[in-house]
């Protein structure tokens, strides 16, 4: 299997505090990789490093490499906007823009310079269909996206990220604010999306990791303790820390 | 328990009392101006020049003068104020220099308007040689409103959720695109409210235009920004303190006050319309 995203000896400091301590991770193409671990261990920090979201924070200092198709996204002179276009992100809290449903989906495309009305319409419809949202919103495309339910909003945000056809999709606890039915819909969506995209998901829900992830990484205090196929990690963890965590002995 | 509910009721009623008191004062002012001023308002008052030492005729040139100067102020202060606020809120790091700049701007909002007037004379009228003109006065009033516009705009931008910015960036927007397409539209309501309040205040100021361009009486309208002008607040000031027959022109003074208040009212209606147009998508429509 081809490695889509490779993290190489990644260190991250917030000020003087080291939050990621030399992360190595190989994420294969068309797989779903779950990041699990106790609160504060650095999962979100690692995920945000993968599309250079830390650039905004002058406190955050990144060292090491993240290779997208063998190409370092932190290489000097690298075009950040191009990187983020290839590596999309869905946030923990649904964050639809205060615009219409249509404009939310079309946002990334318009930014990228697509102005053809017919083309935009076609892409919006296709994306909404593929996120199983079309039937629910097809008559309300010009309504505010903020009028959708939380679950619909999160599917909209996923659709919005998918609309620009990234290669990798990062998701930070995308279901943490949702009910079981919405969660099931999003999980089904992820399994569908994995055919075309590579997905990295942070989750606190062990069942969710087992339902969707091909590989799971267990993180602890800024380090990846164990990274293995999901079944193997949950059924026969090699490290004592992993076993303790999965048994609920801490965190 | 008993004690608490008593305290609660007492507190609530105290608050109610003060709200009513404020409303009462506001009502008295409006009533005064309206009842004493509305009698003189007719088309002659609005569209004629003052006559017979301002005891007869209308206030047309003062209305036009105030509108003209306020336009100059708008063109100068709004883009500059908003641009400064965007820089301070979105781009400037949180270091000592920038904190100092922010604090200075806040403090400038409290500087008495007569000081701005003196500054205007020194810098615009004399320093830059703009003379006693609409431009000098408009710029002086612009300086007066800038701190206000900057502060309220910065506040409005800070209130836009961080997730709107991150969401846009994650979709491949540049920082500027995120600000222009996502942050600014969400902040429009606050920006417009602040700007219009600032402009309303500028339109009613006397001290800053006193030395920089306003004239006691002119027989013509300003034809360009380098002419002098008449203005409502100054006209009001003359009618109520400098006139040889103050009692006689009192109704005219109240009439002028009423027109000035109406102008401010119109500005606020404009703000309301702009806010309304942008509001739709900021609130969930169910
Ligand atoms: N902007 C920041 N500035 C300074 N420290 C931060 C910042 N963001 C996170 N941290 C610290 O970095 C560490 C890792 O945080 P991170 O958000 O990555 O944890 P997490 O594994 O995602 O936790 P959770 O499961 O609770 O979301 C924490 O100790 C946190 O306090
Ligand atoms: Mg997190």
């Amino acid at each position: 299997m081809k490695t889509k995203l490779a993290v190489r000896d990644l260190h991250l400091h917030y000020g003087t505090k080291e939050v990621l301590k030399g992360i190595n991770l190989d994420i294969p193409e068309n797989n779903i990789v779950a990041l699990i671990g106790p609160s504060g261990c650095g999962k979100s920090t690692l995920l945000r490093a993968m599309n250079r979201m830390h650039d905004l924070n002058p406190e955050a200092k990144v060292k090491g490499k993240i290779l997208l198709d063998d190409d370092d996204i932190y290489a000097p002179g690298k075009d950040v906007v191009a990187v983020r276009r290839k590596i999309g992100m869905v946030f923990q809290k649904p964050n639809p823009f205060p615009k219409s449903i249509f404009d939310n989906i079309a946002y990334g495309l318009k930014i990228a310079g697509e102005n053809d009305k017919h083309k935009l319409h076609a892409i919006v419809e296709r994306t909404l269909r593929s996120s199983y949202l079309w039937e629910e919103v097809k008559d309300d495309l010009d309504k505010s996206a903020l009028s959708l339910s939380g679950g619909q909003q999160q599917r909209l945000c996923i659709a919005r990220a998918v609309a620009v056809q990234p290669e990798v999709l990062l998701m930070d606890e995308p279901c943490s604010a949702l009910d079981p039915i919405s969660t099931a819909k999003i999980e089904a969506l992820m399994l569908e999306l994995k055919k075309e995209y590579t997905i990295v998901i942070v989750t606190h829900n062990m069942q969710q990791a087992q339902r969707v992830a091909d590989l799971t990484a267990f993180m602890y205090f800024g380090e990846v303790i164990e990274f293995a196929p999901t079944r193997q990690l949950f059924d026969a963890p090699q490290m004592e820390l992993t076993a303790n965590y999965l048994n609920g002995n801490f965190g | 328990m008993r004690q608490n509910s008593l305290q609660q009721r007492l507190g609530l009623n105290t608050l109610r009392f003060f709200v009513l008191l404020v409303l009462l004062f506001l009502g008295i002012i409006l009533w005064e101006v309206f009842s004493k001023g509305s009698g003189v308002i007719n088309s002659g008052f609005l569209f004629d020049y003052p006559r017979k030492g301002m005891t007869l005729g209308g206030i047309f040139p003062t209305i036009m003068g105030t509108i003209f100067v306020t336009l100059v102020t708008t063109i100068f202060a709004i883009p500059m104020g908003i641009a400064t606020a965007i820089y301070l809120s979105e781009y400037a790091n949180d270091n000592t220099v920038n904190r100092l700049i922010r604090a200075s701007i806040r403090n400038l909002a409290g500087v008495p308007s007569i000081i701005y007037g003196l500054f205007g004379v020194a810098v615009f009228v004399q320093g830059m040689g703009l003379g006693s003109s609409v431009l000098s006065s408009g710029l002086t009033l612009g300086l007066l409103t800038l701190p206000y516009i900057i502060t309220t705009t910065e506040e409005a931008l800070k209130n836009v959720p961080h997730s709107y910015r991150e969401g846009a960036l994650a979709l491949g927007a540049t920082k500027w695109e995120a600000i222009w397409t996502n942050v600014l539209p969400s902040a429009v309501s606050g920006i417009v409210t602040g700007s219009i309040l600032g402009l309303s205040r500028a339109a009613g100021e006397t001290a800053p235009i006193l030395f920089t361009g306003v004239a006691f009486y002119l027989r013509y309208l300003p034809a360009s920004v380098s002419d002098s002008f008449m203005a409502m607040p100054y006209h009001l000031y003359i009618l109520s303190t400098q006139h040889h027959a103050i009692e006689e022109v009192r109704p005219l003074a109240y009439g002028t006050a009423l027109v000035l208040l109406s102008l401010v009212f119109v500005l606020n209606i404009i703000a309301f319309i702009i806010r309304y147009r942008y509001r739709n998508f900021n609130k969930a429509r169910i």
Side-chain angles (χ1 to χ4, degrees), chain A residues 48 81 85 95 99 107 147, chain B residues 163 166 172 181-182 281 285:
Chain A
R48 293 165 64 81
V81 167
R85 210 158 273 167
N95 61 341
K99 302 174 185 294
Y107 186 87
S147 62
Chain B
S163 64
E166 287 196 331
T181 59
N182 245 0
F281 285 112
R285 273 195 285 156

Side-chain angles (χ1 to χ4, degrees), chain A residues 128-146:
Chain A
L128 283 173
R129 279 189 194 283
S130 73
S131 342
Y132 308 120
L133 201 56
W134 178 251
E135 289 304 321
E136 292 160 60
V137 304
K138 64 180 174 198
D139 298 322
D140 300 326
L141 290 182
D142 60 341
K143 260 201 193 174
S144 169
L146 301 186

Side-chain angles (χ1 to χ4, degrees), chain B residues 154-173:
Chain B
E154 215 190 325
E155 233 34 74
L157 292 173
K158 289 250 183 296
N159 281 336
V160 176
H162 200 62
S163 64
Y164 290 1
R165 289 165 240 246
E166 287 196 331
L169 292 176
L171 289 170

Side-chain angles (χ1 to χ4, degrees), chain A residues 162-178:
Chain A
V162 168
V164 292
Q165 299 198 290
E167 295 167 16
V168 179
L169 210 50
L170 309 172
M171 299 177 156
D172 195 348
E173 302 185 48
C175 302
S176 64
L178 305 182

Side-chain angles (χ1 to χ4, degrees), chain A residues 144-192:
Chain A
S144 169
L146 301 186
S147 62
L148 296 172
S149 76
Q152 290 172 326
Q153 287 187 4
Q154 193 61 301
R155 274 180 287 151
L156 181 84
C157 290
I158 297 174
R160 188 173 72 187
V162 168
V164 292
Q165 299 198 290
E167 295 167 16
V168 179
L169 210 50
L170 309 172
M171 299 177 156
D172 195 348
E173 302 185 48
C175 302
S176 64
L178 305 182
D179 67 301
I181 294 177
S182 303
T183 302
K185 284 186 181 166
I186 288 181
E187 287 177 7
L189 175 58
M190 287 170 62
L191 292 172
E192 192 62 34

Side-chain angles (χ1 to χ4, degrees), chain A residues 36-38 206-207 210 218 226 232-251:
Chain A
I36 62 169
M206 295 305 131
Q207 282 75 39
Q210 295 181 63
F218 169 65
E226 189 167 352
Q232 184 186 321
L233 187 119
F234 279 91
D235 292 346
Q238 304 295 302
M239 310 293 288
E240 207 184 324
L241 274 173
T242 317
N244 282 341
Y245 179 71
L246 294 177
N247 292 331
N249 287 352
F250 61 79

Side-chain angles (χ1 to χ4, degrees), chain A residues 69-83:
Chain A
D69 294 325
D70 295 326
D71 192 12
D72 185 11
I73 66 169
Y74 281 97
K78 190 88 193 159
D79 179 3
V80 197
V81 167
V83 168

Side-chain angles (χ1 to χ4, degrees), chain B residues 258-270:
Chain B
L258 185 55
V259 176
L260 186 55
L261 272 183
S262 310
L263 180 79
V264 171
F265 187 67
V266 168
L267 282 176
N268 280 287
I269 299 257
I270 295 174

